[in-house]
Amino acid sequence: MSPEVYNRCVEEHADRLYRFVLKNVRDEDRAADIVQDAYEKMWRYREGVQDDKAKSYLFTTAYHVMIDALKREQRMTRPERGLPDEGSSGEQYSDLNEILHAALERLPADQKMVVLLRDYEGYSYEEIEQITGLSQSQVKVYIYRARVFLKKYIGQPELVV
């Protein structure tokens, strides 16, 4: 990969990559660090990156850097995942966007990544397969499970005022 192709890759994909990472980590500084790490790795290994595979390489690298960061964080703190207790006097939501974000945060990392890549960023199953390294059938299973969970979570009447 030449410096010109690398620069073009930065110009074309930086915003989309940042949005993808930010949607997953929900911290602007961490997202910027992950994107920077991905571009740095791409630059370091530029001789092995084919020009037509730059986007795939970039998103795959960012995905792996992000997963590593999330796993490190998860080892430090074990957040409780699952549905809210019925009858809990927790905060009531009236904004569907907030409910969706809360539901996304409860998804396992792999399911969250693939559903965001597919539904938020609009990638095809083949592109998600290349980015994540998962098989296409596993991508479809993760997306299905995530959507079922989101539908169940969002459909809880106690969350919507």
Side-chain angles (χ1 to χ4, degrees):
M1 168 185 290
S2 67
E4 294 80 24
V5 173
Y6 176 84
N7 289 334
R8 189 173 65 240
C9 189
V10 171
E11 291 171 10
E12 292 177 2
H13 305 299
D15 290 337
R16 199 169 186 188
L17 182 65
Y18 176 75
R19 279 194 323 265
F20 166 67
V21 173
L22 181 62
K23 193 75 171 168
N24 283 286
V25 298
R26 299 188 63 119
D27 180 333
E28 292 177 359
D29 292 333
R30 283 181 49 210
D33 289 344
I34 290 169
V35 170
Q36 183 177 352
D37 288 348
Y39 275 113
E40 178 188 354
K41 286 183 181 189
M42 190 167 135
W43 178 254
R44 268 191 277 146
Y45 301 109
R46 67 188 176 275
E47 285 83 23
V49 179
Q50 298 172 359
D51 293 352
D52 60 334
K53 302 287 185 184
K55 177 182 174 185
S56 176
Y57 182 88
L58 178 63
F59 274 82
T60 302
T61 302
Y63 172 80
H64 289 293
V65 170
M66 183 172 38
I67 290 294
D68 290 344
L70 291 172
K71 284 180 181 178
R72 273 193 309 272
E73 179 181 301
Q74 196 173 36
R75 276 187 245 129
M76 293 178 172
T77 61
R78 298 274 184 200
E80 289 188 29
R81 294 195 185 268
L83 300 175
D85 296 334
E86 292 183 35
S88 69
S89 61
E91 182 178 338
Q92 295 292 314
Y93 294 99
S94 61
D95 184 9
L96 186 58
N97 193 29
E98 290 179 25
I99 296 169
L100 180 58
H101 287 295
L104 283 170
E105 288 303 311
R106 287 176 163 56
L107 286 173
D110 287 338
Q111 289 180 20
K112 181 179 176 183
M113 301 292 173
V114 295
V115 82
L116 287 174
L117 283 169
R118 178 72 179 165
D119 295 337
Y120 185 73
E121 293 293 332
Y123 285 101
S124 68
Y125 293 117
E126 295 82 18
E127 290 172 317
I128 296 171
E129 178 183 15
Q130 290 175 349
I131 290 169
T132 62
L134 300 169
S135 70
Q136 198 172 119
S137 60
Q138 192 63 49
V139 168
K140 291 178 181 179
V141 167
Y142 283 171
I143 290 173
Y144 172 77
R145 289 178 182 166
R147 288 177 178 166
V148 166
F149 174 82
L150 293 172
K151 181 179 177 182
K152 183 177 178 183
Y153 185 88
I154 292 171
Q156 293 181 344
E158 63 271 9
L159 293 177
V160 182
V161 175

